[in-house]
Amino acid sequence: MTSGPILRLDDVSVRYEGTLAVDGVQLEVERGDVLAVLGPSGCGKSTLLRAIAGLEPISAGRITFDGEDLAGRPTHRRGFALMFQDGQLFGHLSVARNVGYALRLRRLGRAAVNARVSELLELVGLSGFEDRMPATLSGGERQRVALARALAVDPRLLLLDEPLSALDASLRQSLAADLRDILHTAGTTALMVTHDHDEAFAVAGRIAVMFDGSVVQQGPIAQVWASPEAPRTASFLGYARVLTGASARLVAEAAGLRAGGQLALRRSALRVAETGVLEGVVEQVTSTPEQLRLVVDVPGAGRLDAVARLDERLVVGESVHLSVDATRVAQMSV
Ligand code: ADP
Ligand code: MG
């Protein structure tokens, strides 16, 4: 064992004919940590994962695991497990046989396999599902089985490629929280790639933001969240708007933040308040089942998205006071 990060990527590039899909990526994952690589579709996430797994040759750089350069080590000798968006279960095998598949390949005895399978099914919340066939499972249950199967051989590293993306939104959120707990309980070191910031925040402790083959920012989630390095990072993290110049100063002042630089705003950073610090005129009112959304024209700051309580009766043209929720505003250095 070595101290420091267990997985290291130094200046890793992957080139397909004509495309530099991964461009000089620098990444580190500590033992037992979960890192989410977050980026839009086509930015190179799957390619990066495949390179770490040894399924894609790298054209430059170095990948080391536990101090060892992986260059000469084929996929099946890396001790890593992969999990995909569609769990890719064996349709003709029961849940127990899917989960125990790799253990049987290792010629583990029947009793030992059964014991380990029950332990894994309990870990993913599917005790008693041993004899079910994949076709009878919901999407969420299938992904839990896929996760149990991936964890069966105690992988040194679990690589997850958009593991929850095929599920509907509410299930995705609850399974994301479970995934975090399961990985934590199992002590698994994991690298997950996703295009969904909520999923990344729910599962991982650290994130790396990737655009066009390059990692542009990485760190603990709270830190990246609090200071996105560029407007496109902010919008990818879920911020609705980036303010610059005088308008940024105005809103920063209202939020009690130091002035200077750009400000990224969550849609709900601005609320309608009894006594407020910004004043504006309601230009548009829309309602979702949860909240009333407003576009408010604030002199000096332009049109800002705000939220109000559903019971507030606001009309277009009305003048309102806004208060700023500083926890939903990020101060950017640029
Ligand atoms: P992501 O997973 O972030 O959506 P990918 O890693 O799948 O992105 O793809 C990154 C880029 O590499 C894309 O431009 C994609 O078209 C290209 N690409 C992916 N796989 C191949 C391949 N086997 N051959 C050529 N180009 C590829
Ligand atoms: Mg992909």
Side-chain angles (χ1 to χ4, degrees), residues 83-91 95 98-99 121 124 126 129 132-150 163-164 166-167 171 175:
M83 182 180 157
F84 300 96
Q85 178 173 339
D86 54 337
Q88 302 186 343
L89 299 179
F90 305 117
V95 165
N98 265 282
V99 174
L121 287 178
V124 301
L126 289 181
F129 277 62
R132 294 275 293 271
M133 295 304 284
T136 70
L137 302 175
S138 70
E141 288 163 352
R142 270 200 290 276
Q143 288 306 78
R144 287 175 191 269
V145 174
L147 178 62
R149 188 179 60 180
L164 308 174
L167 308 173
L171 184 58
L175 200 51

Side-chain angles (χ1 to χ4, degrees), residues 34-56:
V34 179
L35 173 77
V37 175
L38 174 68
S41 173
C43 76
K45 302 182 297 296
S46 294
T47 303
L48 182 70
L49 211 69
R50 291 170 55 79
I52 297 169
L55 296 166
E56 208 67 70

Side-chain angles (χ1 to χ4, degrees), residues 227-242:
S227 50
E229 52 82 50
R232 72 174 172 173
T233 308
S235 44
F236 205 73
L237 292 174
Y239 286 93
R241 178 86 71 90
V242 173

Side-chain angles (χ1 to χ4, degrees), residues 43 103 220-221 245 304:
C43 76
L103 301 171
I221 283 174
L304 300 174

